[in-house]
Amino acid sequence: MLTISRTLHDQIVAHARADHPDEACGVVAGPEGTGRPERFVPMLNAARSPTFYEFDSGDLLKLYREMDDRDEEPVIVYHSHTATEAYPSRTDVTYANEPGAHYVLVSTADTDGAGPFQFRSYRIVDGVITEEEVEVVG
């Protein structure tokens, strides 16, 4: 299960809405080994695409150096889908290279009648997608 603060949840959703119609992407870092998401790090979608996201390689290198210096790890890797449900695509699965991370998808399309966005979390390990419950606290 992913436990996330209301503040972080709202920051991720706001980033997804702000970047719409392009996909938004980013990371929430947390202290190594805790699984606790704490530091919101919105990233630039270098692809600037409504159907694909790509972290800028320079920004990603800088982020990993920062996390290393702060004894952090990526707890959440997030991005948005602008026209489809919040479910990992084949491309998303291919790029899921953090087996310990929660992969959060936010859909900014109302694909299920449930409202203007979906916020869902997955574990993706060795190509296997497992949806997990999300608890928003605070």
Side-chain angles (χ1 to χ4, degrees), residues 7 20 33 41 45 51 62-64 68 84 96 99-100 103 112 115 121 129 131-132 136:
T7 300
H20 187 85
V41 186
N45 178 355
T51 58
K62 180 181 170 206
L63 171 63
Y64 272 84
D68 192 46
T84 59
Y103 285 89
D112 64 0
S121 184
I129 303 166
E131 186 164 8
E132 61 184 351
V136 180

Side-chain angles (χ1 to χ4, degrees), residues 56-115:
D56 177 84
S57 58
D59 290 347
L60 199 56
L61 180 61
K62 180 181 170 206
L63 171 63
Y64 272 84
R65 284 183 176 152
E66 267 179 26
M67 287 191 299
D68 192 46
D69 290 346
R70 297 169 65 130
D71 294 323
E72 292 177 327
E73 62 188 357
V75 177
I76 295 172
V77 177
Y78 74 87
H79 76 281
S80 61
H81 283 182
T82 61
T84 59
E85 71 173 320
Y87 189 82
S89 69
R90 280 182 296 216
T91 303
D92 297 339
V93 173
T94 300
Y95 286 108
N97 59 0
E98 289 289 346
H102 302 271
Y103 285 89
V104 166
L105 279 103
V106 176
S107 175
T108 53
D110 183 5
T111 59
D112 64 0

